[in-house]
Amino acid sequence: MTTFLSHLDKFLAEHPNLNIDVVLDDRSIDMLEQGIDVALRMGTLSDSGMTARKIARSDRVVLGTPAYFAKAGEPCIPADLTHHEAIVYAQGNGGATWAFRHGSTKVSVAVSGRLRVNAAEGVRAAVLADMGVAISSEWMFGPELEKGSVKRVLEEWKLPPIDLWAVYPTGRMASAKARAFVAFVEGVLHGDQTTRNGRPRY
């Protein structure tokens, strides 16, 4: 995740004897087979054989760049998304049907687009390249949302929030280095957050 990757230099400075192998893969992989000490996974966990601890929760929003909205217009209601290029996240927590809630009203929209990606970093790259609109956690675009280089739309329509989990292989005690890394991620996501218009910012 971009939010904490940009802070890794601080973690390495605090732990000079540690080396980190970062595996960017949104698929469920065999952690024991791959020799992975801890994984960060977003959304609903289907892998009940793992030991997991929820470490953060973020709102999800529909967003795009001002350049994209300048040429395509801004959606005012969820149904307007059918006329937009949607960047579809093709993993378990994504898909081409986006479900919204406004008070007691619930609406599902089948979006379409020419680009489907299977990694959250791909969604981020496509949005920043002005290629369309996407659903994303706020923490994925925290700096860009703050600067205004990425813009939220349909803010009155709420999407289900998304959880971030630290996942450890079953039967293995979490190592000291794994615990230190998870504490670092929690510090990045929680320690520096502020509140703007009642919304947590990461």
Side-chain angles (χ1 to χ4, degrees):
M1 288 173 52
T2 301
T3 300
F4 69 79
L5 287 177
S6 63
H7 292 268
L8 273 182
D9 58 332
K10 300 175 185 176
F11 179 77
L12 292 171
E14 293 173 0
H15 302 275
N17 295 322
L18 283 185
N19 295 323
I20 300 176
D21 291 334
V22 177
V23 179
L24 297 177
D25 194 331
D26 288 4
R27 298 171 299 174
S28 292
I29 59 178
D30 189 322
M31 295 176 64
L32 285 173
E33 182 180 291
Q34 298 294 325
I36 293 175
D37 294 295
V38 60
L40 300 177
R41 293 182 178 170
M42 291 190 295
T44 302
L45 296 181
S46 59
D47 199 352
S48 59
M50 295 295 177
T51 301
R53 183 166 68 87
K54 185 167 69 174
I55 60 175
R57 168 170 282 193
S58 175
D59 289 338
R60 291 194 302 162
V61 293
V62 180
L63 45 72
T65 60
Y68 170 77
F69 291 128
K71 65 183 179 183
E74 292 188 19
C76 297
I77 58 174
D80 292 342
L81 292 169
T82 59
H83 305 296
H84 281 263
E85 280 289 330
I87 301 162
V88 176
Y89 178 58
Q91 286 292 345
N93 298 310
T97 300
W98 296 356
F100 297 86
R101 178 177 54 81
H102 183 11
S104 60
T105 302
K106 296 181 180 180
V107 174
S108 293
V109 178
V111 299
S112 61
R114 292 178 292 168
L115 181 62
R116 295 173 63 91
V117 297
N118 64 357
E121 287 295 329
V123 173
R124 175 179 164 80
V127 167
L128 295 179
D130 309 323
M131 296 181 66
V133 294
I135 287 178
S136 175
S137 62
E138 290 195 316
W139 63 52
M140 181 64 71
F141 288 91
E144 291 80 13
L145 288 166
E146 177 68 16
K147 292 186 297 184
S149 54
V150 169
K151 181 177 182 179
R152 304 176 187 86
V153 293
L154 300 175
E155 292 194 76
E156 293 184 356
W157 293 86
K158 303 302 179 184
L159 292 153
I162 193 165
D163 296 325
L164 177 66
W165 302 83
V167 181
Y168 306 92
T170 296
R172 180 193 294 174
M173 292 293 291
S175 65
K177 60 184 178 181
R179 292 195 305 269
F181 181 74
V182 171
F184 155 74
V185 174
E186 286 188 284
V188 171
L189 295 180
H190 293 299
D192 296 329
Q193 67 176 305
T194 59
T195 302
R196 185 174 60 81
N197 296 330
R199 180 187 294 108
R201 193 187 77 233
Y202 300 96

